[in-house]
Amino acid sequence: TRTLAYLKPAFRTYATAASPHALVYLEHSAGAIDSASLSALTAAQKLGGQVTGLLVGSAEEVKEVLPKAQKLKGLNDVLHASSPQYAHPLPETVSPLFEKILSSGSPYTHVVSAHSSAAKSILPRVAAKLDVPAVSDITSLEHDSSSNSTTFTRPIYAGNAIATVRAPSSVPVKFFTVRSTAFAAAPSDGADVEAKPLEAVEVASSPTEHIKTELTKSDRPELGSASRIVSGGRALKDAETFKKTLEPLADVLGAAIGASRAAVDAGYADNSLQVGQTGKVVAPELYVALGISGAIQHLAGMKDSKLIVAVNKDPDAPIFQVADAGLVADLYEVVPELVEKLKAQ
Ligand code: FAD
């Protein structure tokens, strides 16, 4: 309509865009690009067009991470913006930068990110400003250039059903976040691509400010990207027993430690270790579930693991329905024996 055309002049440019051009938000921490963003980059490549990375951070962070971003395979170029305001990517401070990038004349047809806590807030916020929908937590995608529509699948009802949704050509910029376990991480052995600096968009008075970040320190592999995970549930009784029982097995397997929500809520394990619908979604090569019943909310976070091993006293525990190897036994007898046998190998 006339009103829309007046309010959103940029859309006339987008609607005629022929081949896709994705803008991928590259999140980073401790000088490295997050592996979930590398999976988002792989997903963006499946659109079949150009892919531009977007790196945002303090000047020091950008200086350290930019050379790594330029080497990512699958990127055509990298935009980068630095400001003290971007040291902690609050949606309130980063969103205006996205809006500027996507303003009139922008070549981008898709905006892509990991399904991370920050991006889950940034992307829908920017999409709302542009008056377009955002699709979250996608596990596959297909772009049809002739109709300029993109079709996605995404798990719903804690992974018990898969919804297929389509962003048609009437959606000029298609926003989506990516479930990292569904896409391999893009490799970082590409040729250096061009880095294009952008001016930061300073927010005069942000309604939120970053106060502090408390990181859990651990020598173990990071839960979200570990290839092996040993997870414990309510059966682990208390924090001390949880640690004493799981750590020797995790050590011998070189595994990360995970937990069910019951174990986290009871204070046996840190919040950051929770696996499931309201915790982390993981898909390691090996997932060992000890004293975990297998509630659907837990399965939602681990059922895509390649090999699931479960130990539970109850032969009817639902975890056995997804387990590749199941042992109906008392974990306090089985786990020490398993540790000894693995050590002897
Ligand atoms: P239980 O269900 O109590 O199971 C304990 C198991 O240990 C039992 O199967 C028992 O047979 C076995 N056991 C006991 N003793 C032994 C022993 N000595 N040896 C071997 N086996 C033994 N849960 C999550 O995990 N992650 C989530 O993200 C999550 N999100 C949720 C979101 C919502 C909205 C809701 C409503 C729930 C959510 N839950 C989540 C909770 C979920 O429904 C279950 O309550 C929880 O997963 C149960 O944890 P559990 O299996 O450790 O405990």
Side-chain angles (χ1 to χ4, degrees), residues 285-324:
E285 294 296 322
L286 172 69
Y287 188 89
V288 184
L290 302 171
I292 293 178
S293 60
I296 53 163
Q297 295 89 355
H298 187 80
L299 300 186
M302 46 64 73
K303 69 177 163 44
D304 291 331
S305 305
K306 312 288 175 295
L307 182 73
I308 299 172
V309 176
V311 181
N312 198 303
K313 276 203 308 201
D314 176 6
D316 297 323
I319 191 78
F320 289 129
Q321 287 165 22
V322 298
D324 300 285

PDB file of all heavy atoms in Angstrom, residues 285-324:
ATOM      1  N   GLU A 285      28.861 -37.506  20.022  1.00  0.00           N
ATOM      2  CA  GLU A 285      29.058 -38.867  19.500  1.00  0.00           C
ATOM      3  C   GLU A 285      28.551 -39.874  20.536  1.00  0.00           C
ATOM      4  O   GLU A 285      27.987 -40.908  20.187  1.00  0.00           O
ATOM      5  CB  GLU A 285      30.563 -39.126  19.273  1.00  0.00           C
ATOM      6  CG  GLU A 285      31.199 -38.282  18.176  1.00  0.00           C
ATOM      7  CD  GLU A 285      30.610 -38.592  16.821  1.00  0.00           C
ATOM      8  OE1 GLU A 285      30.332 -39.772  16.568  1.00  0.00           O
ATOM      9  OE2 GLU A 285      30.416 -37.647  16.031  1.00  0.00           O
ATOM     10  N   LEU A 286      28.774 -39.559  21.831  1.00  0.00           N
ATOM     11  CA  LEU A 286      28.385 -40.472  22.914  1.00  0.00           C
ATOM     12  C   LEU A 286      27.710 -39.694  24.040  1.00  0.00           C
ATOM     13  O   LEU A 286      28.262 -38.704  24.536  1.00  0.00           O
ATOM     14  CB  LEU A 286      29.641 -41.172  23.468  1.00  0.00           C
ATOM     15  CG  LEU A 286      29.440 -42.017  24.727  1.00  0.00           C
ATOM     16  CD1 LEU A 286      28.604 -43.263  24.435  1.00  0.00           C
ATOM     17  CD2 LEU A 286      30.784 -42.430  25.342  1.00  0.00           C
ATOM     18  N   TYR A 287      26.503 -40.145  24.437  1.00  0.00           N
ATOM     19  CA  TYR A 287      25.797 -39.531  25.575  1.00  0.00           C
ATOM     20  C   TYR A 287      25.481 -40.633  26.572  1.00  0.00           C
ATOM     21  O   TYR A 287      24.768 -41.586  26.256  1.00  0.00           O
ATOM     22  CB  TYR A 287      24.500 -38.862  25.094  1.00  0.00           C
ATOM     23  CG  TYR A 287      23.815 -38.035  26.165  1.00  0.00           C
ATOM     24  CD1 TYR A 287      24.135 -36.694  26.343  1.00  0.00           C
ATOM     25  CD2 TYR A 287      22.852 -38.590  27.004  1.00  0.00           C
ATOM     26  CE1 TYR A 287      23.517 -35.915  27.325  1.00  0.00           C
ATOM     27  CE2 TYR A 287      22.240 -37.831  27.987  1.00  0.00           C
ATOM     28  CZ  TYR A 287      22.572 -36.488  28.143  1.00  0.00           C
ATOM     29  OH  TYR A 287      21.950 -35.735  29.119  1.00  0.00           O
ATOM     30  N   VAL A 288      26.063 -40.520  27.767  1.00  0.00           N
ATOM     31  CA  VAL A 288      25.827 -41.535  28.797  1.00  0.00           C
ATOM     32  C   VAL A 288      24.867 -40.941  29.824  1.00  0.00           C
ATOM     33  O   VAL A 288      25.200 -39.958  30.502  1.00  0.00           O
ATOM     34  CB  VAL A 288      27.154 -41.950  29.474  1.00  0.00           C
ATOM     35  CG1 VAL A 288      26.903 -43.077  30.471  1.00  0.00           C
ATOM     36  CG2 VAL A 288      28.188 -42.383  28.433  1.00  0.00           C
ATOM     37  N   ALA A 289      23.664 -41.508  29.941  1.00  0.00           N
ATOM     38  CA  ALA A 289      22.648 -40.997  30.870  1.00  0.00           C
ATOM     39  C   ALA A 289      22.588 -41.899  32.093  1.00  0.00           C
ATOM     40  O   ALA A 289      22.226 -43.074  31.987  1.00  0.00           O
ATOM     41  CB  ALA A 289      21.287 -40.959  30.164  1.00  0.00           C
ATOM     42  N   LEU A 290      22.960 -41.350  33.242  1.00  0.00           N
ATOM     43  CA  LEU A 290      23.012 -42.150  34.462  1.00  0.00           C
ATOM     44  C   LEU A 290      21.918 -41.698  35.430  1.00  0.00           C
ATOM     45  O   LEU A 290      21.893 -40.522  35.832  1.00  0.00           O
ATOM     46  CB  LEU A 290      24.375 -41.989  35.136  1.00  0.00           C
ATOM     47  CG  LEU A 290      25.584 -42.370  34.273  1.00  0.00           C
ATOM     48  CD1 LEU A 290      26.884 -41.976  34.953  1.00  0.00           C
ATOM     49  CD2 LEU A 290      25.584 -43.874  33.975  1.00  0.00           C
ATOM     50  N   GLY A 291      20.997 -42.605  35.759  1.00  0.00           N
ATOM     51  CA  GLY A 291      19.936 -42.264  36.704  1.00  0.00           C
ATOM     52  C   GLY A 291      19.072 -41.119  36.217  1.00  0.00           C
ATOM     53  O   GLY A 291      18.685 -40.244  36.984  1.00  0.00           O
ATOM     54  N   ILE A 292      18.802 -41.129  34.924  1.00  0.00           N
ATOM     55  CA  ILE A 292      17.928 -40.113  34.294  1.00  0.00           C
ATOM     56  C   ILE A 292      16.737 -40.864  33.707  1.00  0.00           C
ATOM     57  O   ILE A 292      16.926 -41.835  32.961  1.00  0.00           O
ATOM     58  CB  ILE A 292      18.681 -39.334  33.186  1.00  0.00           C
ATOM     59  CG1 ILE A 292      19.791 -38.476  33.804  1.00  0.00           C
ATOM     60  CG2 ILE A 292      17.722 -38.480  32.366  1.00  0.00           C
ATOM     61  CD1 ILE A 292      20.624 -37.698  32.803  1.00  0.00           C
ATOM     62  N   SER A 293      15.511 -40.441  34.046  1.00  0.00           N
ATOM     63  CA  SER A 293      14.341 -41.213  33.608  1.00  0.00           C
ATOM     64  C   SER A 293      14.080 -41.077  32.107  1.00  0.00           C
ATOM     65  O   SER A 293      13.589 -42.004  31.474  1.00  0.00           O
ATOM     66  CB  SER A 293      13.101 -40.777  34.400  1.00  0.00           C
ATOM     67  OG  SER A 293      12.863 -39.401  34.186  1.00  0.00           O
ATOM     68  N   GLY A 294      14.401 -39.877  31.542  1.00  0.00           N
ATOM     69  CA  GLY A 294      14.160 -39.682  30.110  1.00  0.00           C
ATOM     70  C   GLY A 294      12.843 -38.974  29.840  1.00  0.00           C
ATOM     71  O   GLY A 294      12.132 -39.315  28.886  1.00  0.00           O
ATOM     72  N   ALA A 295      12.537 -37.967  30.671  1.00  0.00           N
ATOM     73  CA  ALA A 295      11.338 -37.149  30.432  1.00  0.00           C
ATOM     74  C   ALA A 295      11.482 -36.457  29.081  1.00  0.00           C
ATOM     75  O   ALA A 295      12.612 -36.174  28.647  1.00  0.00           O
ATOM     76  CB  ALA A 295      11.218 -36.105  31.542  1.00  0.00           C
ATOM     77  N   ILE A 296      10.345 -36.155  28.419  1.00  0.00           N
ATOM     78  CA  ILE A 296      10.439 -35.576  27.069  1.00  0.00           C
ATOM     79  C   ILE A 296      11.263 -34.286  27.045  1.00  0.00           C
ATOM     80  O   ILE A 296      11.965 -34.026  26.093  1.00  0.00           O
ATOM     81  CB  ILE A 296       9.067 -35.311  26.381  1.00  0.00           C
ATOM     82  CG1 ILE A 296       8.165 -34.492  27.280  1.00  0.00           C
ATOM     83  CG2 ILE A 296       8.426 -36.589  25.912  1.00  0.00           C
ATOM     84  CD1 ILE A 296       6.999 -33.878  26.502  1.00  0.00           C
ATOM     85  N   GLN A 297      11.191 -33.541  28.158  1.00  0.00           N
ATOM     86  CA  GLN A 297      11.946 -32.282  28.172  1.00  0.00           C
ATOM     87  C   GLN A 297      13.460 -32.540  28.202  1.00  0.00           C
ATOM     88  O   GLN A 297      14.241 -31.736  27.736  1.00  0.00           O
ATOM     89  CB  GLN A 297      11.559 -31.427  29.385  1.00  0.00           C
ATOM     90  CG  GLN A 297      10.122 -30.948  29.383  1.00  0.00           C
ATOM     91  CD  GLN A 297       9.164 -31.931  30.049  1.00  0.00           C
ATOM     92  OE1 GLN A 297       9.548 -33.027  30.433  1.00  0.00           O
ATOM     93  NE2 GLN A 297       7.922 -31.521  30.180  1.00  0.00           N
ATOM     94  N   HIS A 298      13.855 -33.677  28.782  1.00  0.00           N
ATOM     95  CA  HIS A 298      15.289 -34.015  28.761  1.00  0.00           C
ATOM     96  C   HIS A 298      15.660 -34.552  27.374  1.00  0.00           C
ATOM     97  O   HIS A 298      16.674 -34.144  26.784  1.00  0.00           O
ATOM     98  CB  HIS A 298      15.633 -35.040  29.846  1.00  0.00           C
ATOM     99  CG  HIS A 298      17.111 -35.269  29.961  1.00  0.00           C
ATOM    100  ND1 HIS A 298      17.948 -34.407  30.633  1.00  0.00           N
ATOM    101  CD2 HIS A 298      17.914 -36.223  29.430  1.00  0.00           C
ATOM    102  CE1 HIS A 298      19.192 -34.829  30.526  1.00  0.00           C
ATOM    103  NE2 HIS A 298      19.208 -35.935  29.797  1.00  0.00           N
ATOM    104  N   LEU A 299      14.815 -35.429  26.839  1.00  0.00           N
ATOM    105  CA  LEU A 299      15.090 -36.013  25.509  1.00  0.00           C
ATOM    106  C   LEU A 299      15.230 -34.920  24.452  1.00  0.00           C
ATOM    107  O   LEU A 299      16.030 -35.042  23.517  1.00  0.00           O
ATOM    108  CB  LEU A 299      13.982 -36.985  25.112  1.00  0.00           C
ATOM    109  CG  LEU A 299      13.738 -38.189  26.036  1.00  0.00           C
ATOM    110  CD1 LEU A 299      12.714 -39.127  25.419  1.00  0.00           C
ATOM    111  CD2 LEU A 299      15.022 -38.949  26.330  1.00  0.00           C
ATOM    112  N   ALA A 300      14.451 -33.836  24.614  1.00  0.00           N
ATOM    113  CA  ALA A 300      14.492 -32.738  23.629  1.00  0.00           C
ATOM    114  C   ALA A 300      15.903 -32.189  23.477  1.00  0.00           C
ATOM    115  O   ALA A 300      16.242 -31.616  22.447  1.00  0.00           O
ATOM    116  CB  ALA A 300      13.547 -31.619  24.056  1.00  0.00           C
ATOM    117  N   GLY A 301      16.727 -32.368  24.520  1.00  0.00           N
ATOM    118  CA  GLY A 301      18.076 -31.794  24.470  1.00  0.00           C
ATOM    119  C   GLY A 301      19.152 -32.774  24.089  1.00  0.00           C
ATOM    120  O   GLY A 301      20.305 -32.371  23.915  1.00  0.00           O
ATOM    121  N   MET A 302      18.830 -34.079  23.961  1.00  0.00           N
ATOM    122  CA  MET A 302      19.934 -35.023  23.708  1.00  0.00           C
ATOM    123  C   MET A 302      19.596 -36.166  22.761  1.00  0.00           C
ATOM    124  O   MET A 302      20.467 -36.967  22.446  1.00  0.00           O
ATOM    125  CB  MET A 302      20.469 -35.604  25.034  1.00  0.00           C
ATOM    126  CG  MET A 302      19.468 -36.092  26.062  1.00  0.00           C
ATOM    127  SD  MET A 302      18.433 -37.477  25.595  1.00  0.00           S
ATOM    128  CE  MET A 302      19.560 -38.837  25.647  1.00  0.00           C
ATOM    129  N   LYS A 303      18.357 -36.230  22.298  1.00  0.00           N
ATOM    130  CA  LYS A 303      17.990 -37.443  21.551  1.00  0.00           C
ATOM    131  C   LYS A 303      18.647 -37.546  20.171  1.00  0.00           C
ATOM    132  O   LYS A 303      18.622 -38.602  19.560  1.00  0.00           O
ATOM    133  CB  LYS A 303      16.473 -37.619  21.469  1.00  0.00           C
ATOM    134  CG  LYS A 303      15.730 -36.626  20.630  1.00  0.00           C
ATOM    135  CD  LYS A 303      14.266 -37.023  20.620  1.00  0.00           C
ATOM    136  CE  LYS A 303      13.329 -35.941  20.184  1.00  0.00           C
ATOM    137  NZ  LYS A 303      13.696 -35.158  19.046  1.00  0.00           N
ATOM    138  N   ASP A 304      19.280 -36.463  19.705  1.00  0.00           N
ATOM    139  CA  ASP A 304      19.998 -36.553  18.432  1.00  0.00           C
ATOM    140  C   ASP A 304      21.441 -37.009  18.607  1.00  0.00           C
ATOM    141  O   ASP A 304      22.217 -37.005  17.636  1.00  0.00           O
ATOM    142  CB  ASP A 304      19.960 -35.205  17.697  1.00  0.00           C
ATOM    143  CG  ASP A 304      18.561 -34.887  17.210  1.00  0.00           C
ATOM    144  OD1 ASP A 304      17.814 -35.846  16.937  1.00  0.00           O
ATOM    145  OD2 ASP A 304      18.200 -33.695  17.125  1.00  0.00           O
ATOM    146  N   SER A 305      21.833 -37.379  19.843  1.00  0.00           N
ATOM    147  CA  SER A 305      23.189 -37.891  20.079  1.00  0.00           C
ATOM    148  C   SER A 305      23.387 -39.151  19.247  1.00  0.00           C
ATOM    149  O   SER A 305      22.437 -39.912  19.028  1.00  0.00           O
ATOM    150  CB  SER A 305      23.369 -38.232  21.563  1.00  0.00           C
ATOM    151  OG  SER A 305      23.053 -37.112  22.360  1.00  0.00           O
ATOM    152  N   LYS A 306      24.636 -39.363  18.785  1.00  0.00           N
ATOM    153  CA  LYS A 306      24.872 -40.490  17.871  1.00  0.00           C
ATOM    154  C   LYS A 306      24.718 -41.828  18.586  1.00  0.00           C
ATOM    155  O   LYS A 306      24.135 -42.766  18.044  1.00  0.00           O
ATOM    156  CB  LYS A 306      26.271 -40.417  17.248  1.00  0.00           C
ATOM    157  CG  LYS A 306      26.653 -39.067  16.674  1.00  0.00           C
ATOM    158  CD  LYS A 306      25.906 -38.760  15.392  1.00  0.00           C
ATOM    159  CE  LYS A 306      26.196 -37.355  14.893  1.00  0.00           C
ATOM    160  NZ  LYS A 306      25.745 -36.241  15.736  1.00  0.00           N
ATOM    161  N   LEU A 307      25.295 -41.945  19.802  1.00  0.00           N
ATOM    162  CA  LEU A 307      25.200 -43.203  20.552  1.00  0.00           C
ATOM    163  C   LEU A 307      24.747 -42.861  21.972  1.00  0.00           C
ATOM    164  O   LEU A 307      25.436 -42.117  22.683  1.00  0.00           O
ATOM    165  CB  LEU A 307      26.569 -43.891  20.579  1.00  0.00           C
ATOM    166  CG  LEU A 307      26.597 -45.248  21.286  1.00  0.00           C
ATOM    167  CD1 LEU A 307      25.905 -46.316  20.442  1.00  0.00           C
ATOM    168  CD2 LEU A 307      28.035 -45.680  21.557  1.00  0.00           C
ATOM    169  N   ILE A 308      23.595 -43.397  22.359  1.00  0.00           N
ATOM    170  CA  ILE A 308      23.071 -43.096  23.702  1.00  0.00           C
ATOM    171  C   ILE A 308      23.175 -44.351  24.564  1.00  0.00           C
ATOM    172  O   ILE A 308      22.683 -45.427  24.191  1.00  0.00           O
ATOM    173  CB  ILE A 308      21.603 -42.611  23.628  1.00  0.00           C
ATOM    174  CG1 ILE A 308      21.526 -41.330  22.784  1.00  0.00           C
ATOM    175  CG2 ILE A 308      21.034 -42.383  25.036  1.00  0.00           C
ATOM    176  CD1 ILE A 308      20.115 -40.853  22.480  1.00  0.00           C
ATOM    177  N   VAL A 309      23.845 -44.203  25.704  1.00  0.00           N
ATOM    178  CA  VAL A 309      23.993 -45.313  26.647  1.00  0.00           C
ATOM    179  C   VAL A 309      23.256 -44.907  27.920  1.00  0.00           C
ATOM    180  O   VAL A 309      23.476 -43.811  28.445  1.00  0.00           O
ATOM    181  CB  VAL A 309      25.494 -45.560  26.954  1.00  0.00           C
ATOM    182  CG1 VAL A 309      25.651 -46.646  28.015  1.00  0.00           C
ATOM    183  CG2 VAL A 309      26.243 -45.935  25.682  1.00  0.00           C
ATOM    184  N   ALA A 310      22.354 -45.765  28.406  1.00  0.00           N
ATOM    185  CA  ALA A 310      21.586 -45.410  29.605  1.00  0.00           C
ATOM    186  C   ALA A 310      21.735 -46.471  30.680  1.00  0.00           C
ATOM    187  O   ALA A 310      21.725 -47.674  30.391  1.00  0.00           O
ATOM    188  CB  ALA A 310      20.115 -45.232  29.238  1.00  0.00           C
ATOM    189  N   VAL A 311      21.892 -46.009  31.915  1.00  0.00           N
ATOM    190  CA  VAL A 311      21.883 -46.915  33.064  1.00  0.00           C
ATOM    191  C   VAL A 311      20.754 -46.461  33.967  1.00  0.00           C
ATOM    192  O   VAL A 311      20.714 -45.294  34.392  1.00  0.00           O
ATOM    193  CB  VAL A 311      23.224 -46.875  33.837  1.00  0.00           C
ATOM    194  CG1 VAL A 311      23.180 -47.848  35.021  1.00  0.00           C
ATOM    195  CG2 VAL A 311      24.394 -47.196  32.920  1.00  0.00           C
ATOM    196  N   ASN A 312      19.811 -47.374  34.224  1.00  0.00           N
ATOM    197  CA  ASN A 312      18.664 -47.019  35.065  1.00  0.00           C
ATOM    198  C   ASN A 312      18.150 -48.281  35.745  1.00  0.00           C
ATOM    199  O   ASN A 312      18.128 -49.353  35.132  1.00  0.00           O
ATOM    200  CB  ASN A 312      17.563 -46.379  34.197  1.00  0.00           C
ATOM    201  CG  ASN A 312      16.565 -45.604  35.045  1.00  0.00           C
ATOM    202  OD1 ASN A 312      15.944 -46.163  35.960  1.00  0.00           O
ATOM    203  ND2 ASN A 312      16.416 -44.332  34.742  1.00  0.00           N
ATOM    204  N   LYS A 313      17.731 -48.143  36.995  1.00  0.00           N
ATOM    205  CA  LYS A 313      17.220 -49.303  37.749  1.00  0.00           C
ATOM    206  C   LYS A 313      15.861 -49.762  37.235  1.00  0.00           C
ATOM    207  O   LYS A 313      15.491 -50.908  37.400  1.00  0.00           O
ATOM    208  CB  LYS A 313      17.052 -48.885  39.225  1.00  0.00           C
ATOM    209  CG  LYS A 313      18.314 -48.987  40.027  1.00  0.00           C
ATOM    210  CD  LYS A 313      18.078 -49.117  41.512  1.00  0.00           C
ATOM    211  CE  LYS A 313      17.174 -48.088  42.144  1.00  0.00           C
ATOM    212  NZ  LYS A 313      17.324 -47.920  43.574  1.00  0.00           N
ATOM    213  N   ASP A 314      15.138 -48.814  36.615  1.00  0.00           N
ATOM    214  CA  ASP A 314      13.757 -49.096  36.207  1.00  0.00           C
ATOM    215  C   ASP A 314      13.723 -49.544  34.737  1.00  0.00           C
ATOM    216  O   ASP A 314      14.004 -48.750  33.838  1.00  0.00           O
ATOM    217  CB  ASP A 314      12.934 -47.814  36.406  1.00  0.00           C
ATOM    218  CG  ASP A 314      11.512 -47.950  35.917  1.00  0.00           C
ATOM    219  OD1 ASP A 314      11.118 -49.072  35.519  1.00  0.00           O
ATOM    220  OD2 ASP A 314      10.795 -46.922  35.920  1.00  0.00           O
ATOM    221  N   PRO A 315      13.339 -50.805  34.483  1.00  0.00           N
ATOM    222  CA  PRO A 315      13.333 -51.272  33.081  1.00  0.00           C
ATOM    223  C   PRO A 315      12.327 -50.520  32.213  1.00  0.00           C
ATOM    224  O   PRO A 315      12.451 -50.522  30.975  1.00  0.00           O
ATOM    225  CB  PRO A 315      12.935 -52.758  33.205  1.00  0.00           C
ATOM    226  CG  PRO A 315      12.346 -52.918  34.567  1.00  0.00           C
ATOM    227  CD  PRO A 315      12.900 -51.834  35.434  1.00  0.00           C
ATOM    228  N   ASP A 316      11.335 -49.869  32.845  1.00  0.00           N
ATOM    229  CA  ASP A 316      10.336 -49.130  32.064  1.00  0.00           C
ATOM    230  C   ASP A 316      10.685 -47.646  31.893  1.00  0.00           C
ATOM    231  O   ASP A 316       9.870 -46.872  31.372  1.00  0.00           O
ATOM    232  CB  ASP A 316       8.952 -49.235  32.735  1.00  0.00           C
ATOM    233  CG  ASP A 316       8.466 -50.673  32.766  1.00  0.00           C
ATOM    234  OD1 ASP A 316       8.738 -51.395  31.772  1.00  0.00           O
ATOM    235  OD2 ASP A 316       7.855 -51.095  33.773  1.00  0.00           O
ATOM    236  N   ALA A 317      11.858 -47.257  32.329  1.00  0.00           N
ATOM    237  CA  ALA A 317      12.230 -45.831  32.203  1.00  0.00           C
ATOM    238  C   ALA A 317      12.231 -45.440  30.723  1.00  0.00           C
ATOM    239  O   ALA A 317      12.798 -46.155  29.885  1.00  0.00           O
ATOM    240  CB  ALA A 317      13.610 -45.594  32.815  1.00  0.00           C
ATOM    241  N   PRO A 318      11.592 -44.316  30.370  1.00  0.00           N
ATOM    242  CA  PRO A 318      11.498 -43.916  28.950  1.00  0.00           C
ATOM    243  C   PRO A 318      12.848 -43.686  28.275  1.00  0.00           C
ATOM    244  O   PRO A 318      12.930 -43.740  27.044  1.00  0.00           O
ATOM    245  CB  PRO A 318      10.685 -42.615  28.992  1.00  0.00           C
ATOM    246  CG  PRO A 318      10.287 -42.376  30.405  1.00  0.00           C
ATOM    247  CD  PRO A 318      10.845 -43.436  31.288  1.00  0.00           C
ATOM    248  N   ILE A 319      13.901 -43.479  29.053  1.00  0.00           N
ATOM    249  CA  ILE A 319      15.223 -43.268  28.427  1.00  0.00           C
ATOM    250  C   ILE A 319      15.606 -44.470  27.567  1.00  0.00           C
ATOM    251  O   ILE A 319      16.292 -44.335  26.553  1.00  0.00           O
ATOM    252  CB  ILE A 319      16.316 -42.989  29.508  1.00  0.00           C
ATOM    253  CG1 ILE A 319      17.631 -42.494  28.891  1.00  0.00           C
ATOM    254  CG2 ILE A 319      16.612 -44.203  30.389  1.00  0.00           C
ATOM    255  CD1 ILE A 319      17.655 -41.083  28.480  1.00  0.00           C
ATOM    256  N   PHE A 320      15.109 -45.667  27.951  1.00  0.00           N
ATOM    257  CA  PHE A 320      15.471 -46.868  27.184  1.00  0.00           C
ATOM    258  C   PHE A 320      14.848 -46.871  25.778  1.00  0.00           C
ATOM    259  O   PHE A 320      15.297 -47.601  24.905  1.00  0.00           O
ATOM    260  CB  PHE A 320      15.072 -48.129  27.959  1.00  0.00           C
ATOM    261  CG  PHE A 320      15.940 -48.373  29.178  1.00  0.00           C
ATOM    262  CD1 PHE A 320      15.387 -48.603  30.425  1.00  0.00           C
ATOM    263  CD2 PHE A 320      17.328 -48.359  29.073  1.00  0.00           C
ATOM    264  CE1 PHE A 320      16.183 -48.815  31.537  1.00  0.00           C
ATOM    265  CE2 PHE A 320      18.140 -48.565  30.185  1.00  0.00           C
ATOM    266  CZ  PHE A 320      17.571 -48.799  31.425  1.00  0.00           C
ATOM    267  N   GLN A 321      13.818 -46.033  25.593  1.00  0.00           N
ATOM    268  CA  GLN A 321      13.213 -45.981  24.246  1.00  0.00           C
ATOM    269  C   GLN A 321      14.117 -45.275  23.242  1.00  0.00           C
ATOM    270  O   GLN A 321      13.985 -45.457  22.028  1.00  0.00           O
ATOM    271  CB  GLN A 321      11.855 -45.269  24.305  1.00  0.00           C
ATOM    272  CG  GLN A 321      10.795 -46.145  24.970  1.00  0.00           C
ATOM    273  CD  GLN A 321       9.569 -45.351  25.358  1.00  0.00           C
ATOM    274  OE1 GLN A 321       9.314 -44.283  24.816  1.00  0.00           O
ATOM    275  NE2 GLN A 321       8.799 -45.896  26.293  1.00  0.00           N
ATOM    276  N   VAL A 322      15.019 -44.425  23.737  1.00  0.00           N
ATOM    277  CA  VAL A 322      15.925 -43.733  22.795  1.00  0.00           C
ATOM    278  C   VAL A 322      17.347 -44.271  22.892  1.00  0.00           C
ATOM    279  O   VAL A 322      18.205 -43.914  22.074  1.00  0.00           O
ATOM    280  CB  VAL A 322      15.953 -42.196  23.013  1.00  0.00           C
ATOM    281  CG1 VAL A 322      14.594 -41.565  22.772  1.00  0.00           C
ATOM    282  CG2 VAL A 322      16.480 -41.836  24.400  1.00  0.00           C
ATOM    283  N   ALA A 323      17.611 -45.133  23.898  1.00  0.00           N
ATOM    284  CA  ALA A 323      18.990 -45.596  24.122  1.00  0.00           C
ATOM    285  C   ALA A 323      19.407 -46.631  23.079  1.00  0.00           C
ATOM    286  O   ALA A 323      18.611 -47.483  22.678  1.00  0.00           O
ATOM    287  CB  ALA A 323      19.120 -46.183  25.518  1.00  0.00           C
ATOM    288  N   ASP A 324      20.672 -46.547  22.628  1.00  0.00           N
ATOM    289  CA  ASP A 324      21.228 -47.572  21.740  1.00  0.00           C
ATOM    290  C   ASP A 324      21.727 -48.734  22.581  1.00  0.00           C
ATOM    291  O   ASP A 324      21.706 -49.880  22.146  1.00  0.00           O
ATOM    292  CB  ASP A 324      22.397 -46.986  20.937  1.00  0.00           C
ATOM    293  CG  ASP A 324      21.945 -45.810  20.084  1.00  0.00           C
ATOM    294  OD1 ASP A 324      21.287 -46.069  19.068  1.00  0.00           O
ATOM    295  OD2 ASP A 324      22.210 -44.648  20.441  1.00  0.00           O
TER     296      ASP A 324
END
